[in-house]
Amino acid sequence: MKSEDLDGVYGAKNPDEARTLYDDWSGSYDADNLAKGFRLPALGAGLLASYIGRTKGPILDAGCGTGLVGETLMVMGYMHVFGCDISKEMMALADKTGAYSGFEQADMGTKLPYADDHFAGFVCVGSFGPGHAPASTLTHLARVTRPGGYGVFNLLEHSYVDQGFPPVMEKLAADGVWEVAHVSPPFLPFLLGEPDLWSRAYVVKML
């Protein structure tokens, strides 16, 4: 990943600006990220699989980007994956993987265009950082995930408190919407770059 691309999307002031930045970046996104050892998609897919088992229920790849998570899930045998993203250009590339059953363009912090309790699980990795989807996204993701389903997401260590994630997560737990099943130790999302960028992965179970 080019540092200027990462700085640009982290500096987005609103969803429209983020949409434009990702549309423009879509053509080189995979090459830029994978050259730096980007491992969030594989970790996210693997974590969900380890909790959700061999479900036939639909899975939501929220903030699906170019389809790295969905393609990983497809290789692992999950065939009912749906993607949503703010960028149409990103989703057009994800569609080429053949891993997805459908797509919706969505500003995830505002709403998700799915029915309550629809998905057996969700993965949302690489979407929660400065200039990205806000903490309110978690409420929408919880709404569309059925009781007993699981969700996987990551948060950046240096920014998630200032972004307001702890109170949203605590309220979802206090209201009996979910329970936290797993929190990873800090890890580097990029093995070969961004050495100061640390993250944790979270697994939540819907109640």
Side-chain angles (χ1 to χ4, degrees):
M1 173 184 287
K2 301 186 190 75
S3 297
E4 58 267 28
D5 289 327
L6 188 60
D7 291 343
V9 294
Y10 281 171
K13 302 297 191 298
N14 54 60
D16 286 338
E17 186 174 340
R19 181 183 300 111
T20 298
L21 286 164
Y22 273 109
D23 281 346
D24 292 344
W25 192 13
S26 60
S28 63
Y29 180 86
D30 285 354
D32 293 343
N33 278 287
L34 295 175
K36 292 298 179 76
F38 187 45
R39 57 179 178 161
L40 282 176
L43 288 174
L47 268 175
L48 183 67
S50 71
Y51 280 87
I52 206 170
R54 304 311 301 174
T55 180
K56 294 182 179 179
I59 294 170
L60 177 62
D61 179 8
C64 64
T66 58
L68 294 172
V69 169
E71 188 171 21
T72 303
L73 287 168
M74 178 178 67
V75 170
M76 297 169 69
Y78 296 91
M79 307 309 295
H80 301 288
V81 181
F82 292 79
C84 69
D85 200 274
I86 199 168
S87 166
K88 284 186 176 179
E89 296 297 326
M90 288 282 196
M91 288 189 291
L93 292 171
D95 191 30
K96 293 181 180 179
T97 67
Y100 293 86
S101 299
F103 294 94
E104 295 285 351
Q105 187 175 24
D107 174 0
M108 299 190 298
T110 302
K111 63 179 180 179
L112 287 171
Y114 305 106
D116 293 359
D117 303 337
H118 181 68
F119 292 101
F122 72 81
V123 181
C124 186
V125 291
S127 294
F128 297 140
H132 285 63
S136 58
T137 301
L138 293 177
T139 301
H140 302 303
L141 289 170
R143 177 186 66 79
V144 302
T145 307
R146 64 187 60 163
Y150 286 89
V152 173
F153 57 94
N154 79 293
L155 300 176
L156 297 179
E157 288 284 270
H158 76 281
S159 62
Y160 82 103
V161 173
D162 290 341
Q163 289 178 268
F165 280 93
V168 172
M169 295 171 65
E170 289 163 8
K171 187 175 190 308
L172 287 166
D175 289 348
V177 175
W178 75 21
E179 63 182 12
V180 177
H182 173 72
V183 181
S184 78
F187 65 92
L188 291 169
F190 300 92
L191 286 175
L192 306 175
E194 308 297 337
D196 298 322
L197 192 67
W198 290 85
S199 181
R200 289 182 192 264
Y202 296 77
V203 182
V204 291
K205 181 180 181 182
M206 303 304 146
L207 301 176

